[in-house]
Amino acid sequence: MLKAFIVEDEPLARDELKYLLKRSRQVEVVGEAEGIEGAMNNIPGLKPDLVFLDIELADGTGLQLAKQLAELEPAPTLIFATAYDEFALQAFELYAFDYLLKPFDEKRIRQTLDKLVKVRKAGELETSTKPPLRTAVGQTGKLAVEIDDRIVLIDRDSILFIGLINGKTIIKTEETEYKMGDPLIVFERKLDQRSFLRVHRGFIVNVIHIAEIQPWFNSTYNLIMSDGSNIPVSRTYVKELKQLIGF
């Protein structure tokens, strides 16, 4: 069972979230706080698997808290639970796993927890005694994905990018595209980081298919892929891109 900590300054919202998480039977709420100070006084010791945090807190913002939590070892999975959808981009830039909007929807929460369990299982496979998934992809040159109850083997080098588009994860190849429900982090763990690079919260690109790098505003870039696709690079990932490409 996952251990969760809730950071929310509204008691009613906090109680509602605790109730819905308890009903999921996948989560144990091990602590709660109204703001940053209370959270940082308790989370390091409790070591929860995930933290639900609101944007507006009693003594700051959830974005500020997220930056502090990212420095912990191990860092908990962050899920924003808020009424403010305009902060979603900033939240994902801080490696948020998901962004839930109030009023909370029980089905939506269950979907988030199911995705998280799947991702954690993928991570456990990587650290087991079996060959790591990333190594397996490198050895075979194939990426195995489940599509409509079928296992499809995709030639790794044919993949241009993997992106989150309209709520669906898309694997775009030279010839076709595949749609699936798995989050990007599942593929990020599987693919060789010498060839594939996360450049945005919603995109992983195959660097061998980058045709052009165009400067954009606020020190960001756009990538023009070999098929003409336009992929944004956020500031969070610019340094890694420059190191890998060498520009």
Side-chain angles (χ1 to χ4, degrees), residues 4 6 11-29 32 52 104-107 109-110 113:
I6 299 174
L12 291 178
R14 198 163 60 237
D15 289 344
E16 180 188 12
L17 185 55
K18 281 193 298 185
Y19 171 74
L20 293 176
L21 292 175
K22 182 178 180 180
R23 278 177 56 90
S24 76
R25 298 184 180 180
Q26 294 176 285
V27 173
E28 175 191 5
V29 177
E32 56 189 83
F52 291 86
F104 299 124
D105 179 81
E106 184 172 8
K107 181 179 179 181
I109 290 175
R110 287 180 182 272
L113 295 176

Side-chain angles (χ1 to χ4, degrees), residues 80-99:
F80 281 81
T82 179
Y84 302 95
D85 60 355
E86 64 265 32
F87 294 99
L89 178 58
Q90 291 172 265
F92 282 113
E93 293 288 357
L94 293 169
Y95 300 99
F97 182 81
D98 209 342
Y99 196 96

Side-chain angles (χ1 to χ4, degrees), residues 166-178:
N166 296 326
K168 284 287 187 179
T169 299
I170 305 294
I171 297 181
K172 181 69 168 64
T173 71
E174 295 169 317
E175 298 179 351
T176 188
E177 66 178 38
Y178 303 89

Side-chain angles (χ1 to χ4, degrees), residues 3 102 126 184 186 198:
K3 296 190 300 180
K102 300 176 183 176
E126 285 191 319
L184 284 183
V186 170
R198 186 85 170 244

